[in-house]
Amino acid sequence: MAKAPGFFAEGELVGVLTTQPLDRLLDYKAPEGGCQPGAFVEVPLGPRKVLGVVWGPGKGDFDASKIRSVIRVLDVAPMREELQAFLERAGDYTLTSMPAMLRLATRAPGLGDPPSMRKIYRLGEAEPERMTDARRRVLEVLRDYGGLSFTLKELAEQAGVTSSVVKGLVKHGAVREEDTPRDVPFPTLQPDFAGVDLTGEQGEAVEALQEGIRSGAYGTTLLRGVTGSGKTEVYLEAVAETLRQRRQALVLLPEIALTTEFLTRIEARFGARPAEWHSGATMTERRRIWKMVGQGGAQVVVGARSALFLPFRDLGLIVVDEEHDTSYKQEDGVLYNARDMAVLRASLCGAQVVLASATPSLESWANAEAGKYRRLDLTARFGEAVMPEMRAIDMRAETLPSQRWVSPTLQKAVEARLAKGEQALLFLNRRGYAPVTICRACGHQVGCDHCDARMVEHRFLKRLMCHQCGETKPMPQVCPSCGAEDRMAAVGPGVERMSEEAAALFPDARIATLSSDLFGSARALKEQIAEIAEGGADIIIGTQLVAKGHNFPNLTLVGVIDADLGLQGSDLRAAERTFQLMRQVAGRAGRTDKPGTALLQTFQPEHPVIRAILSGDEEGFWAAEADERRQAGVPPYGRMAGIVLSSTDMQEAFDIGNHLARNDAPLRAAGAQVFGPAPAPIARVRGRHRVRLLVKAPKGVALQGPVAQWVGQVRGSNQFRLSVDIDPQSFY
């Protein structure tokens, strides 16, 4: 991109990138008063007004008399060159159009609204004279959101009431109505508000990170620490140093449910809460965060992966917590990995990156081994806590009745913990009640009408659900295939079925089930997690949601129901993911002074991955896994791109796939080879037939150019879609 001049005077030609799906910049005349490069502007496009950014000088390559003027410059901080460069580089890497990248960077409503006062609503002191269900819902929403303010529309929608209910509570003093500026800075965080006692190992890691931040230069550090070793305390001291340098910090978390406990820790450390960016934040808050980040009115942002595209004024630190987590990979729309994009953005703005994990991704481990990343290790748990003892339960030697999944050995271990007043966790990485519903008369398995996927029974909802497209249908009383009545049977366990079994085995225990689809809102899920941490349950039953960073002080036993589950299938990362998940979930046990135990139910105790999990020889596991991948020439020792062709017409998808496979000259010229086409493992989703091709190349090959040239040769019908996933994480 050519360097833009410092200012465009009124009438000068400017090139504007809009959020509309166009393949080029559009020429406009600078408005009255002129505009800066990077200015956010409103421009006419046909009969509409659309959002855009002044990307540089205009080209002037068509009739000047037809060029229209920019309507107005928005009252927000201009986009900095660093963010423009980041969007361009990220777009080039992921083969994403620039308008789609700009949409990622402008995900806040009302950016063009003029500054003004607005009415907001908070929790009041009084109680209404008469309590109704509707009023109770309004007050519960205000309490759930911990004192956040709402507009009248947002509060009414969240509570599912009319605005008159809110107004009535204002009259009673139960809700406060205030006038406030629309967008105000966040409270100041104090780097020295509260000190922390660090171990010698933690202190050394902190000093190394702070030294990097003081240098003002780019660098990436892999912070590897066993579960419970205090990685969070270490990187919060890096945040403190960033604040001392008057720069901004971004902390990415993999799971929205982790934010409550984490925000409380930040408030205790720095004396104020940071900005919170994720899908659960209100639209009002999102606009405020977006604007304040650009003006420097938000020092620290805690958020989901999309926070990476906020317009930071001076970003000095990015922390990617649980960096191995697969939820950092966006699997629809723009296909990017937030961990890798964090490194790219930091390299462009002279920031430090901390990749924190107890079980790093093989990519990060390999980069540390190669010297690209610095590596810091925390080898001991914080305080008196010790690592849990890990043992396998050989299911071949256990006697279980049919339709039972908790082995006698695990049952006795749970009973022993309950007798001591401690908590136990039963882990099964399967949502719902049962993964398959089958007719015992004809063998028919109930599938989704729109996808080639079996429907999962969710007994708590009394419905079958497709986990691909979200379609639900009532539980059938008769077989859809043969018409037999009362012959439908649930096969295999999900967490809901585990809850049923646990209630039968441990009738006096309080049981809590943690699964993302059992909670109507992120706030409700956070509340349940907080309640469990305070001792509100004896047995926790959960999916991988529970493996992510939660701290349950009284939890001393983890039982993994099916440790072999992730080892099936052809995913090249199956061993790595199973190893990470088992080590992470085991790490929930014994995080205080009470020792913990993790028991893994397995039919393959001699499997190399199971043995590595039990022995704790992490370095040995990574070295062996790296060796296998190196010999196979797959990531991180080779390059890959996944191509998914989809259409409502299966033949069209296959015809185009075959055409691409036969005309692969651009790939061969680059030393790459193509595999396929083949039906995707889930060959139909939402009524669209899916065909996959896989491109594989040696490590040093820049795949993007050849792949773009190769897929650029095909055109399909209006129903045809082609998506390219550089560095795919999943292969469904």
Side-chain angles (χ1 to χ4, degrees), residues 559-575:
V560 177
I561 300 302
D562 188 351
D564 308 326
L565 189 60
L567 296 173
Q568 299 148 10
S570 56
D571 187 341
L572 68 90
R573 293 183 176 86

Side-chain angles (χ1 to χ4, degrees), residues 659-670 672-674 706 710 713:
H659 174 81
L660 283 170
R662 285 194 301 269
N663 296 276
D664 63 344
L667 298 178
R668 278 186 283 114
Q673 56 187 141
V674 62
W710 175 57
Q713 62 185 304

Side-chain angles (χ1 to χ4, degrees), residues 284-447:
T284 309
E285 282 294 293
R286 286 170 80 88
R287 185 188 58 230
R288 176 190 175 203
I289 292 168
W290 193 95
K291 287 189 172 182
M292 288 304 117
V293 162
Q295 294 171 22
Q299 300 158 285
V300 176
V301 176
V302 173
R305 59 185 177 230
S306 59
L308 200 54
F309 295 90
L310 287 169
F312 290 95
R313 189 173 76 174
D314 187 8
L315 186 57
L317 173 69
I318 305 174
V319 176
V320 186
D321 197 16
E322 308 288 2
E323 64 86 31
H324 64 279
D325 199 286
T326 53
S327 59
Y328 284 124
K329 178 66 189 268
Q330 170 97 3
E331 294 284 9
D332 52 22
V334 180
L335 306 178
Y336 69 92
N337 191 315
R339 178 195 66 217
D340 301 340
M341 292 300 128
V343 172
L344 172 60
R345 181 148 195 195
S347 70
L348 294 169
C349 63
Q352 291 282 314
V353 181
V354 176
L355 304 176
S357 176
T359 54
S361 61
L362 188 60
E363 282 81 358
S364 297
W365 182 88
N367 279 329
E369 287 290 296
K372 289 182 184 174
Y373 298 169
R374 177 171 52 178
R375 176 169 160 177
L376 300 172
D377 285 275
L378 303 175
T379 56
R381 283 197 152 178
F382 188 74
E384 296 177 29
V386 294
M387 290 300 291
E389 178 193 359
M390 299 189 71
R391 297 200 304 270
I393 297 174
D394 187 346
M395 296 299 284
R396 297 168 302 188
E398 298 282 319
T399 307
L400 263 83
S402 64
Q403 306 300 301
R404 271 271 306 276
W405 286 274
V406 176
S407 65
T409 303
L410 181 55
Q411 182 182 344
K412 283 187 194 128
V414 172
E415 286 166 350
R417 301 294 160 148
L418 296 180
K420 290 183 186 174
E422 296 169 1
Q423 290 173 316
L425 164 66
L426 299 179
F427 174 82
L428 175 65
N429 200 20
R430 260 203 197 119
R431 292 179 291 159
Y433 182 83
V436 181
T437 299
I438 194 167
C439 172
R440 286 177 299 201
C442 71
H444 173 74
Q445 297 181 11
V446 181

Side-chain angles (χ1 to χ4, degrees), residues 210-257:
Q210 291 186 337
E211 186 185 321
I213 288 159
R214 285 191 290 268
S215 75
Y218 158 73
T220 295
T221 302
L222 174 60
L223 177 63
R224 185 199 154 273
V226 297
T227 52
S229 60
K231 292 183 290 297
T232 307
E233 281 79 8
V234 168
Y235 69 65
L236 285 185
E237 292 311 298
V239 171
E241 187 59 37
T242 309
L243 295 176
R244 291 186 196 106
Q245 301 296 321
R246 302 191 181 283
R247 301 186 76 184
Q248 293 166 301
L250 168 62
V251 181
L252 297 178
L253 299 178
E255 183 61 58
I256 193 172

Side-chain angles (χ1 to χ4, degrees), residues 489-502:
V491 177
V495 282
E496 293 176 18
R497 195 168 200 171
M498 285 309 310
S499 299
E500 207 175 76
E501 182 174 337

